[in-house]
Amino acid sequence: MMQRLTILAPMTALSFFGAAGNAFAGGRSEPWQMWFQPAASPVMERIIEFHNLLFVIEVSIVTLVLGLMCYIIVRFNAKANPVPTKTTHNTLLEVVWTGVPLLILMVIAVPSLNLLYYADRIENIEMTLKVTGNQWFWTYSYPDHGGFEFDSVIVPDDELKEGQPRLLTVDNEVVLPVETNIRLLFTSSDVIHNWAVPSLGLKLDTVAGRINENWMRINKEGDYYGMCSELCGINHGFMPIHVKAVSKADFAEWVETARKEFAGAGGPAPVRVAETGAR
Amino acid sequence: MAYVAPAEVEQIPPAEVEDVELYHAKSWVTKYVFSQDAKVIAIQYSATAIAIGLVGLVLSWLMRLQLGFPELFDFIEPSDYYQFITVHGMIMVIYLLTALFLGGFGNYLIPLMVGARDMVFPYVNMVSYWVYLGAVILLIVSFFVPGGATGAGWTLYPPQAILSGTPGSEGGIILMLVSLALFIIGFTMGGLNYVVTVLQARTRGMTLMRLPLTIWGIFTATVLALLAFPALLVGAVMMTFDKLLGTSFFMPALVEMGVYLDYGGGSPLLFQHLFWFFGHPEVYIVALPAFGIVSDLISVHARRHIFGYRMMVWAIVGIGALSFVVWAHHMYVSGMNPWFGFFFATTTLIIAVPTALKVYNWTLTLWKGNIRFTLPMLFALAFIVTFVNGGITGLFLGNVVVDVPLSDTMFVVAHFHMVMGVAPLLVVFGGIYHWFPLITGRMLHEGMGQFHFWVTFIGAYTIFLPLHYLGFLGVPRRYFEMGETNFIPESAQDLNAFVTVVALTVGVAQIVFFINLFWSLKNGKLAGHNPWKACSLEWRTAHVPPRHGNFDDLPVVYRWAYDYGVPGADEDFIPQDVPPDRVSTGKGEV
């Protein structure tokens, strides 16, 4: 606690340093970051773009209402306006102000629903990653690369190495290639979890007895972090997600070693899901 | 611009039913404990709801302490934390707000405002309260059974709600579900009463389109609740079966801590649909009475007719109807077909239209008004600003794709606390400052009220605005011990600590409100008959506070509840029960 208070003072200076040094380079939030984490996938880029449109609309509406209220308070208080008006309704005004919000909603709905379909599916899937939620760790399997699978468990505080972020570090991070259309399949072995990586614009429940599908494409190499986003019991806060995006060549290399490392842990015969299922 | 024509003298039909004798209390117990007087039941409902609400407030402090200062409060275990979260949510949404608006305000105001002597079924009304009290007691008891209260989150999603990885999955969840079922049974008794009273017990001349908007709000909310709560009841019963009898309504084949269970074939999503089919109308069960009350507060304290009365009524009814077709916007990240998302995003956006209409009409009611900054008016104005503010962040969440990065983050927490926590509570306070003189015959203290208003209003923003920001950063909700994770940077953690300090301060400042209530009971300025010079019938009783039976002779209604500033009248208002031919002579008819 005391430590925190002493940190408070030079905070601003530190944050400038942090921004200049760009120590985190996306994938998680930075001190005094404004807005969303930087986008690392085409879906998230579009989400941020659309969000910016919404933001302008919303701030304008709130400002308008707040301004009106202030004007009313100053102009029509008991002293300033002793004789209240008798107007009860005004049809033209009422038609106009029903029409305007409808128009605004159209402006919002069209890009929103377009983006909804874009974010849902894409053609030309190149590989598949299956994510299984467990209490309280993730299991990843690669059905298109021999079907090996491994668990990804949080590293406790006392075993963290220098530079590893607390509550975000896992023993086996999920390695994926950049600039590849990846199909994601989500399921769970027990309760509902939610696989969420903010910078990739992903958040989807994993439900036992169901398979949810989504896709992603990572723009550039780096570490992207996420956390379980559906209350899943007592250790809900301790099942982080670490996506390590590498080049296609590095990924091929990693697959070779991973196959050996996680041999036997995998499921049944390898099936190439990507080719059979692509639309 | 249209002007009000002076009301024409109309033929008021004779009474259709004879005035019946009310139950006469024979002892103190039947008068004040097992009372059949709606006004006493209203006080019982309100006192119980506020008491349990204070428990919810303390739970929120404990959560905030853990979030703000994890090292200092490390004795709060994760299981405690999740129990606090769950019970806090349940209490605030159901046991406080629903009970207070419908059981409290509804019971007190419906008979008085429609010109009835009491509810239509006074005995059932009494039972309703005692069943509600039972539900509240069960909820508290659940903290003390082995394993403690449930920690499944107020949404109680299965499978986790009944599996061992969640605190309170032994007895706590069962008690929670039984308590909910009891609440629903108790509410149904009360709710049927409110609906029948509004429809059948209005006095002569009180047409539906002359009802004060408060009654329209409470009435519509009650209809919503009668239709929505059964979905929750069904969900609760099925989940109890899943837990106790081993059925699989919501349980697919799954493992529990590595062991296969006997469940299979059920759907966890089915529960989510049932829950939110109740859960979304629930938002409006809380909001619609607030809409109605605010309309009346604004009209009385700005000395203006409500602008667009009919439109206000239809907006309330329209919002109520639409609230039944938007429920799945709480489930955007559960993995739904885009068609589904398309439908629910569209309906969600459409509900903004009638809501916007209400805001316009409030603004136009204030426009060129004669605004008195009384305490009820301050709270009403604060409500409008807060409601617009809190509602509009729903545009982010209502659009499926923008919901993705924000869902299950602090942004959602901030959004619903603003729109269905702070905003309705401001109306509750405004309503209490407005009707306290009627209930007790004395005014609340102005100075203490001013202090209470400003601390609450500014405090609410200081607490919840930063939470929106945390949500943008991606800080998840329902996380125990975040501390510094680098995902949540130090700066965000410091903000968390700041929010905790403010939340505690604002919470403690509510003491002033309670001191005011008790102090004014004895020492407040005498209110007289109609301190706010309002038109509606509750101020037209022979005695203040009104006695059992409300009126000496039932009033006859000649006009709507908003005749303020009518030309030619002596006073700037004409109460609903003043016949047109007595206004023009205008001999101090108050």
Side-chain angles (χ1 to χ4, degrees):
Chain A
M1 182 54 222
M2 281 315 293
Q3 196 185 1
R4 162 123 337 105
L5 289 179
T6 49
I7 286 171
L8 257 169
M11 184 85 67
T12 342
L14 274 174
S15 72
F16 277 121
F17 180 74
N22 209 3
F24 302 140
R28 57 194 207 231
S29 9
E30 297 171 29
W32 299 113
Q33 167 192 313
M34 292 307 285
W35 310 117
F36 291 119
Q37 298 173 23
S41 77
V43 171
M44 191 60 196
E45 279 167 6
R46 285 168 172 79
I47 290 177
I48 291 181
E49 223 168 84
F50 177 54
H51 159 267
N52 291 345
L53 167 74
L54 273 185
F55 189 78
V56 173
I57 294 175
E58 295 184 7
V59 169
S60 332
I61 294 175
V62 171
T63 318
L64 182 74
V65 174
L66 209 61
L68 264 178
M69 283 293 145
C70 291
Y71 179 77
I72 284 169
I73 285 169
V74 174
R75 182 63 190 78
F76 302 123
N77 64 54
K79 270 186 217 137
N81 193 41
V83 185
T85 174
K86 311 290 183 304
T87 317
T88 54
H89 59 281
N90 180 334
T91 313
L92 177 68
L93 192 61
E94 288 169 26
V95 170
V96 170
W97 75 29
T98 314
V100 170
L102 275 174
L103 275 180
I104 296 177
L105 290 180
M106 299 278 259
V107 170
I108 292 173
V110 172
S112 168
L113 299 175
N114 267 330
L115 187 49
L116 168 63
Y117 280 89
Y118 175 77
D120 186 58
R121 292 286 185 278
I122 196 169
E123 291 173 11
N124 309 323
I125 293 289
E126 293 164 71
M127 67 166 280
T128 303
L129 173 73
K130 185 184 165 204
V131 180
T132 309
N134 310 282
Q135 279 178 326
W136 289 274
F137 58 93
W138 299 99
T139 303
Y140 298 104
S141 62
Y142 291 73
D144 295 338
H145 299 91
F148 66 89
E149 71 175 35
F150 57 86
D151 295 339
S152 183
V153 187
I154 189 171
V155 175
D157 288 1
D158 47 5
E159 290 169 29
L160 283 177
K161 295 195 191 72
E162 184 69 30
Q164 287 186 327
R166 179 177 164 260
L167 297 187
L168 287 178
T169 305
V170 293
D171 55 356
N172 298 312
E173 62 266 34
V174 53
V175 180
L176 291 168
V178 293
E179 291 174 345
T180 308
N181 291 343
I182 304 166
R183 163 184 292 137
L184 297 163
L185 299 177
F186 298 100
T187 191
S188 166
S189 66
D190 39 49
V191 305
I192 304 174
H193 304 269
N194 184 308
W195 202 76
V197 183
S199 47
L200 299 175
L202 274 172
K203 187 174 282 163
L204 200 56
D205 280 0
T206 70
V207 185
R210 270 174 70 100
I211 291 177
N212 282 333
E213 185 183 334
N214 208 329
W215 69 280
M216 71 172 171
R217 183 186 175 91
I218 307 172
N219 287 344
K220 57 175 193 278
E221 295 174 32
D223 295 295
Y224 303 100
Y225 293 93
M227 300 172 115
C228 178
S229 291
E230 183 65 65
L231 181 53
C232 60
I234 205 158
N235 287 332
H236 169 50
F238 305 98
M239 46 185 297
I241 296 149
H242 179 182
V243 176
K244 191 179 180 65
V246 297
S247 68
K248 285 182 180 177
D250 288 350
F251 177 71
E253 213 169 280
W254 175 82
V255 165
E256 286 313 309
T257 49
R259 254 181 171 156
K260 285 174 204 133
E261 192 183 342
F262 303 116
V271 185
R272 280 197 59 88
V273 184
E275 279 170 14
T276 51
R279 283 199 304 205
Chain B
M1 293 272 171
Y3 293 91
V4 189
E8 287 173 29
V9 184
E10 57 177 316
Q11 280 300 318
I12 301 289
E16 286 170 33
V17 279
E18 294 275 303
D19 220 343
V20 286
E21 272 295 279
L22 291 170
Y23 168 82
H24 290 291
K26 293 180 187 65
S27 64
W28 188 86
V29 173
T30 46
K31 192 165 185 198
Y32 293 110
V33 184
F34 294 101
S35 173
Q36 297 189 27
D37 181 351
K39 294 185 293 298
V40 179
I41 296 171
I43 305 297
Q44 291 173 329
Y45 252 114
S46 308
T48 313
I50 291 172
I52 192 74
L54 287 175
V55 174
L57 181 70
V58 172
L59 292 177
S60 75
W61 290 346
L62 292 169
M63 285 162 3
R64 281 305 332 170
L65 284 174
Q66 210 288 323
L67 281 175
F69 308 100
E71 302 94 343
L72 213 59
F73 292 89
D74 54 1
F75 56 86
I76 300 177
E77 299 286 322
S79 55
D80 302 329
Y81 180 75
Y82 285 121
Q83 287 165 344
F84 298 161
I85 278 191
T86 308
V87 181
H88 167 80
M90 275 295 177
I91 285 179
M92 292 309 194
V93 172
I94 294 178
Y95 298 86
L96 169 67
L97 286 172
T98 309
L100 188 55
F101 271 122
L102 302 183
F105 283 88
N107 260 318
Y108 205 93
L109 295 174
I110 290 173
L112 278 165
M113 282 182 140
V114 305
R117 296 214 179 275
D118 204 322
M119 287 292 178
V120 169
F121 311 115
Y123 186 82
V124 180
N125 206 17
M126 174 192 80
V127 178
S128 159
Y129 167 73
W130 290 98
V131 176
Y132 163 66
L133 185 67
V136 169
I137 290 171
L138 265 193
L139 181 73
I140 298 297
V141 166
S142 79
F143 265 106
F144 302 101
V145 296
T150 178
W154 86 280
T155 48
L156 300 178
Y157 280 4
Q160 57 114 0
I162 57 174
L163 293 185
S164 61
T166 299
S169 61
E170 300 92 348
I173 181 70
I174 300 293
L175 284 181
M176 180 81 249
L177 294 170
V178 174
S179 167
L180 279 177
L182 267 187
F183 179 92
I184 295 165
I185 292 166
F187 171 76
T188 307
M189 295 185 205
L192 288 173
N193 238 324
Y194 314 151
V195 170
V196 176
T197 305
V198 171
L199 290 179
Q200 293 296 321
R202 280 168 291 136
T203 188
R204 289 189 292 151
M206 179 64 92
T207 60
L208 283 176
M209 279 298 159
R210 280 178 179 170
L211 284 177
L213 286 169
T214 299
I215 299 302
W216 268 111
I218 293 174
F219 171 70
T220 315
T222 309
V223 174
L224 293 195
L226 286 172
L227 296 173
F229 270 118
L232 179 65
L233 181 67
V234 166
V237 170
M238 286 177 168
M239 207 202 291
T240 315
F241 286 172
D242 278 4
K243 174 72 186 168
L244 292 181
L245 305 180
T247 55
S248 291
F249 290 107
F250 306 129
M251 305 295 280
L254 46 68
V255 297
E256 182 184 36
M257 303 294 133
V259 181
Y260 267 99
L261 298 179
D262 284 338
Y263 293 114
S267 165
L269 285 189
L270 175 61
F271 179 82
Q272 299 188 11
H273 283 293
L274 285 172
F275 183 87
W276 289 115
F277 187 84
F278 143 77
H280 197 81
E282 170 63 33
V283 175
Y284 290 97
I285 291 167
V286 171
L288 292 182
F291 288 172
I293 291 171
V294 149
S295 309
D296 282 356
L297 295 189
I298 284 176
S299 179
V300 174
H301 296 271
R303 316 308 297 162
R304 277 274 279 125
H305 322 280
I306 196 76
F307 191 92
Y309 172 83
R310 275 171 183 274
M311 209 186 213
M312 291 296 256
V313 171
W314 290 117
I316 286 180
V317 175
I319 291 171
L322 277 173
S323 73
F324 278 100
V325 288
V326 297
W327 78 88
H329 69 209
H330 298 269
M331 301 162 57
Y332 283 154
V333 296
S334 68
M336 54 166 78
N337 188 307
W339 252 109
F340 225 55
F342 187 112
F343 176 79
F344 283 103
T346 313
T347 51
T348 304
L349 291 181
I350 288 174
I351 214 168
V353 175
T355 316
L357 289 182
K358 298 203 74 73
V359 177
Y360 295 141
N361 282 338
W362 289 326
T363 316
L364 264 277
T365 303
L366 290 165
W367 194 260
K368 297 196 180 168
N370 181 10
I371 301 172
R372 284 103 199 255
F373 293 105
T374 54
L375 289 166
M377 182 52 122
L378 289 179
F379 277 103
L381 290 173
F383 165 81
I384 297 179
V385 173
T386 310
F387 184 74
V388 168
N389 223 305
I392 211 141
T393 50
L395 270 187
F396 289 117
L397 300 170
N399 285 285
V400 185
V401 278
V402 182
D403 182 57
V404 166
L406 294 175
S407 175
D408 273 284
T409 67
M410 284 296 184
F411 190 90
V412 176
V413 176
H415 163 70
F416 71 69
H417 273 91
M418 277 309 240
V419 81
M420 81 169 292
V422 176
L425 275 179
L426 288 171
V427 178
V428 166
F429 288 132
I432 290 176
Y433 283 103
H434 183 77
W435 281 298
F436 188 84
L438 177 69
I439 298 169
T440 65
R442 288 177 187 272
M443 309 291 282
L444 282 164
H445 188 264
E446 179 79 15
M448 281 193 262
Q450 290 274 352
F451 173 82
H452 174 230
F453 169 74
W454 288 106
V455 170
T456 310
F457 180 50
I458 296 174
Y461 276 80
T462 322
I463 294 165
F464 292 112
L465 279 184
L467 294 192
H468 288 94
Y469 163 76
L470 290 181
F472 275 120
L473 293 194
V475 178
R477 70 190 276 212
R478 292 172 167 176
Y479 259 46
F480 168 77
E481 192 185 275
M482 284 192 290
E484 288 155 45
T485 65
N486 300 17
F487 190 88
I488 294 94
E490 253 168 50
S491 59
Q493 185 50 35
D494 289 315
L495 205 57
N496 245 336
F498 168 74
V499 168
T500 298
V501 173
V502 179
L504 285 169
T505 317
V506 175
V508 171
Q510 301 304 314
I511 286 177
V512 176
F513 172 68
F514 289 100
I515 292 176
N516 196 353
L517 282 188
F518 288 109
W519 183 86
S520 303
L521 212 53
K522 281 268 172 294
N523 311 307
K525 209 169 67 191
L526 281 173
H529 259 78
N530 190 353
W532 309 118
K533 297 185 191 305
C535 294
S536 42
L537 290 181
E538 81 271 27
W539 301 99
R540 305 289 292 166
T541 55
H543 306 276
V544 174
R547 298 186 180 162
H548 188 44
N550 294 346
F551 304 94
D552 281 356
D553 290 314
L554 281 179
V556 176
V557 171
Y558 294 92
R559 57 189 73 245
W560 69 341
Y562 302 100
D563 264 344
Y564 296 101
V566 173
D570 278 0
E571 293 271 350
D572 76 331
F573 73 108
I574 310 171
Q576 279 188 285
D577 59 343
V578 176
D581 50 351
R582 292 193 53 192
V583 180
S584 48
T585 59
K587 294 291 178 210
E589 178 58 46
V590 179

